[in-house]
Amino acid sequence: MIEARIRDFIITKDNWIFAVADYFHPDGVRCVLRYVPDESGDRQLNGLKYRKYDFDVAFDFMRENRPEWVQDVHIVPEDQVKVVLHPSDPIPELVNQDERVKAVVDVLLDADIPIEKMGVTGSFLPGLQNEQSDVDFVVYGNEWFKARDAIAAAKKEDGFIEDIDEQMWHRIYNKRIPEISYEEFILHEKRKGNRGMVGGTYFDLLFVRDWSQIEGPLPRGVDVGTMKIEAKVTDAELAFDNPSVYKVDHDEIDHVLSYTHTYAGQALEGEVIEAQGVVEQVGDIKRLVVGTSREPKGEWIRSLTLLGKCD
């Protein structure tokens, strides 16, 4: 069985490049198509030109060309996988080639984060980046929190790593179209500390579970309606994962999941949240799911504690 985690990429025998979308792959690799060879493409790898596909276009392409691979994500049969790309693989080469990646790596190494616990994903992973590409940086397990603190400290120095300016924050907000106000969005985002600018390029610090944190797949539940809750967060260790996981103290809901990056790290352990989403019955428990569509309407998570709206 292929071992692949979120943020890994796979390349198929057709040279299609997919981003891995899960920690578990019972019937094939769960992923989403990102790049396809195309003579009119604007990126190049190993002598092939590639075109990047956004989420909706990728699904259209797959429904036309591999409909049997289309479910909630794309399911690639293991015998069609040519290679698995791991975020840590290109780091040694990129450190010598890209000053933006080197700047982030140097900060993390100074914070005693092992180089094998860091990597890059997105276009940098297969080598399809260009000058406009964002830097999607990966850190594994609890080292992520050390990395986040190190980046926050680096932003306060006169160096290559800087805070996001107001114009970029508006771009991010307008791209995500969340169900909370811009003012609330900014208040939550600036506290998270996992975004910044490096050499004038936007970068994200993305969490991926260590192998020891991967316990078992999330079983699919039965949708039983929608609900808005207020609840105290009792465990936020995986709040920056995908999906984000918030254990809560609530009469009906056991935990809140967010499948949208907007609400990753939205609340800390001990805080009271307000969340609205779809209720799933999974065995004896109910969970509240936020991000049930690409741009979820009527679904959100906000920290009432952070907003000063707690009794």
Side-chain angles (χ1 to χ4, degrees):
M1 179 178 290
I2 290 176
E3 286 193 336
R5 289 182 281 187
I6 285 172
R7 316 298 180 194
D8 291 351
F9 276 33
I10 61 168
I11 303 178
T12 68
K13 293 177 180 178
D14 291 323
N15 290 313
W16 297 357
I17 302 176
F18 293 77
V20 177
D22 207 333
Y23 292 104
F24 302 93
H25 312 282
D27 304 311
V29 183
R30 293 174 53 79
C31 50
V32 176
L33 182 68
R34 294 298 303 277
Y35 301 95
V36 172
D38 188 324
E39 281 300 319
S40 62
D42 59 354
R43 308 189 188 208
Q44 191 159 328
L45 176 67
N46 298 329
L48 292 174
K49 287 187 175 181
Y50 277 86
R51 178 176 299 278
K52 181 180 179 181
Y53 282 170
D54 291 332
F55 187 86
D56 292 335
V57 178
F59 267 82
D60 291 341
F61 177 90
M62 291 295 292
R63 288 188 190 102
E64 183 175 343
N65 292 278
R66 291 287 191 281
E68 69 276 16
W69 291 9
V70 178
Q71 295 183 21
D72 57 323
V73 292
H74 305 147
I75 313 296
V76 177
E78 288 194 10
D79 63 5
Q80 294 301 305
V81 177
K82 183 166 65 173
V83 64
V84 179
L85 304 177
H86 305 289
S88 57
D89 295 341
I91 287 293
E93 186 175 348
L94 283 171
V95 164
N96 294 321
Q97 293 181 346
D98 194 295
E99 59 184 1
R100 299 166 297 178
V101 174
K102 184 180 187 302
V104 178
V105 169
D106 286 347
V107 167
L108 302 192
L109 289 175
D110 287 344
D112 295 324
I113 295 169
I115 197 162
E116 63 270 17
K117 293 292 187 181
M118 61 180 84
V120 287
T121 189
S123 59
F124 276 82
L125 179 48
L128 287 166
Q129 73 273 19
N130 56 31
E131 288 301 314
Q132 288 73 47
S133 296
D134 297 338
V135 181
D136 297 317
F137 213 87
V138 168
V139 179
Y140 293 92
N142 290 330
E143 297 290 343
W144 186 91
F145 297 94
K146 287 171 58 179
R148 189 260 310 268
D149 294 344
I151 292 295
K155 290 178 187 176
K156 296 177 182 178
E157 300 173 2
D158 187 16
F160 212 50
I161 297 177
E162 301 175 313
D163 263 325
I164 293 174
D165 61 26
E166 195 69 18
Q167 183 179 3
M168 179 60 79
W169 277 125
H170 276 284
R171 277 182 56 193
I172 296 168
Y173 179 80
N174 291 333
K175 180 180 178 181
R176 297 201 168 274
I177 322 176
E179 289 284 272
I180 58 177
S181 69
Y182 176 74
E183 290 71 26
E184 289 186 356
F185 174 80
I186 283 293
L187 199 58
H188 286 85
E189 288 300 316
K190 289 188 174 180
R191 179 175 71 164
K192 295 174 188 179
N194 63 321
R195 305 177 193 265
M197 304 293 290
V198 57
T201 299
Y202 171 76
F203 80 93
D204 222 338
L205 196 64
L206 300 169
F207 175 95
V208 176
R209 294 190 204 186
D210 258 331
W211 290 112
S212 62
Q213 294 175 301
I214 301 173
E215 297 176 350
L218 283 169
R220 180 71 170 93
V222 178
D223 295 349
V224 293
T226 60
M227 183 184 291
K228 182 171 78 171
I229 68 168
E230 289 186 17
K232 185 175 183 179
V233 176
T234 59
D235 187 336
E237 180 184 12
L238 299 177
F240 283 94
D241 196 14
N242 184 23
S244 310
V245 184
Y246 304 89
K247 290 281 291 182
V248 294
D249 181 10
H250 187 268
D251 290 342
E252 292 186 62
I253 302 298
D254 179 79
H255 57 279
V256 177
L257 296 179
S258 174
Y259 283 91
T260 172
H261 191 51
T262 304
Y263 302 117
Q266 195 77 343
L268 306 177
E269 181 177 330
E271 292 187 347
V272 175
I273 60 170
E274 177 189 86
Q276 180 162 305
V278 175
V279 179
E280 274 190 355
Q281 183 83 44
V282 186
D284 295 333
I285 68 167
K286 289 180 181 177
R287 65 189 184 205
L288 189 71
V289 181
V290 175
T292 56
S293 61
R294 187 67 175 167
E295 295 174 359
K297 299 298 181 185
E299 300 175 10
W300 68 81
I301 302 171
R302 51 166 60 95
S303 169
L304 298 181
T305 303
L306 176 64
L307 298 173
K309 296 182 179 181
C310 278
D311 294 331

